[in-house]
Every structure is written in C-alpha cells, then in structure tokens.
Amino acid sequence: MQRVIFIGNIGCGKTTLSQVIHGKPINYEKTQMVTTRGDDIVDTPGEYLEEGYMKGVLNVTAAEARVIALVQSAPEPRFKFSPGYGGSFAKDVIGIVTKIDRATPDQIDKAVKMLRLAGARRIFKVSSYTGEGVQELVDYLTPDENGKNKDGKKISGN
C-alpha cells in the first residue's frame, strides 16, 4: 500500500480506520502526535487541523506521503477543511467519509460535497465497524506493478 496521510478533525475515525486496515482490533487511542501506523499510514492528531497555527505541520508531514486523505466523519457537523485545501499539496488528494453506519444519507451526502469542495478528487465512504468500503479504499491505495491505482492513474508524489 502507498504511504497515505490521514488528516481530519478530532474523533473523525483516522486511528480506528488505520487499525482496521492493518487487521488490528479496534481499540480507542487518542493520537497525541504524528504517528506512523505500519509502514504506510501516517496518522495525525485532529488538533493539527482544528488549530489554524498547526496546519503548517500537516503540510511538512505530508511531504513523505504519496496520497493525502482528507477524513470526515459523516455525522460530525463541524467541517474544518477550507475550500480548495487539497490544492496545497502537489499529490493525489482523496476524501474518506467515515462512520457511514452511524449517519443518515443526508449527512453522508453533505460530507461528500464538503470533501469535494476541499479538493478531494475521489471519495470513499467507509465504516470501520461494519467494514463497508474499507477494501475498496485499500485497493485504491495499493498500486499495481506499474505504480498505478485501481483507476489506472499513476499515484503521484514521492
């Protein structure tokens, strides 16, 4: 799997999703600092997005990732990504809507629209608890022998 950085609000499910992707039991863990999970997921504290003065840390940390994942919990009304936020990265920017098992269709649609506005080119809807959508995300992040994702596009970045 290509190295991906998960960026999102506090409690949006970044750590839980990384546990599920790596086949680990779900265990609530507050991410206090940038943490590498396995060799391929960079998990960031939600405070880095929510506190404006910390956003620069995300840009520096993202330099080592091939894919930028903007993560938004569907039932969460707060949205901290500014319009065009993904454009600050010269990389593949995707959106991940989490907690779809706990959200209404309207909440999911709103999260998708907001992630697109933030610059996500492809959106994945996942539930870490039911597993829905997780394999599709993993497949997308796992390039073939030519470095292309499941859409046939070369994964950009380092």
Side-chain angles (χ1 to χ4, degrees):
M1 195 168 88
Q2 296 297 304
R3 182 171 269 233
V4 59
I5 184 171
F6 287 168
I7 301 172
N9 293 355
I10 296 167
C12 71
K14 301 176 299 288
T15 300
T16 301
L17 180 58
S18 67
Q19 291 170 345
V20 169
I21 287 172
H22 285 133
K24 306 229 182 240
I26 295 174
N27 181 28
Y28 178 76
E29 212 178 294
K30 172 66 182 113
T31 304
Q32 298 292 330
M33 61 185 173
V34 173
T35 304
T36 302
R37 303 198 183 273
D39 293 331
D40 46 17
I41 298 174
V42 179
D43 188 5
T44 62
E47 290 85 355
Y48 284 22
L49 177 66
E50 293 189 22
E51 300 296 330
Y53 68 93
M54 298 293 288
K55 286 186 180 179
V57 174
L58 294 173
N59 286 4
V60 171
T61 304
E64 294 183 23
R66 284 180 154 306
V67 178
I68 310 302
L70 308 181
V71 183
Q72 176 68 31
S73 165
E76 172 62 59
R78 296 175 307 141
F79 191 79
K80 293 293 186 174
F81 298 109
S82 59
Y85 177 76
S88 64
F89 305 98
K91 303 191 184 235
D92 187 18
V93 178
I94 64 171
I96 303 173
V97 178
T98 58
K99 304 183 185 181
I100 62 171
D101 57 308
R102 298 175 39 200
T104 66
D106 285 344
Q107 289 172 317
I108 294 168
D109 289 345
K110 182 179 179 187
V112 167
K113 287 176 187 167
M114 297 306 287
L115 287 169
R116 286 205 190 286
L117 182 63
R121 291 176 185 85
R122 171 102 191 246
I123 308 290
F124 297 88
K125 301 173 202 169
V126 303
S127 167
S128 293
Y129 286 91
T130 68
E132 184 179 350
V134 174
Q135 190 58 54
E136 180 185 1
L137 172 62
V138 170
D139 289 348
Y140 179 83
L141 294 171
T142 305
D144 65 15
E145 63 277 355
N146 297 316
K148 295 182 179 181
N149 64 24
K150 298 299 180 198
D151 289 342
K153 295 180 183 171
K154 186 142 179 94
I155 296 178
S156 62
N158 296 334

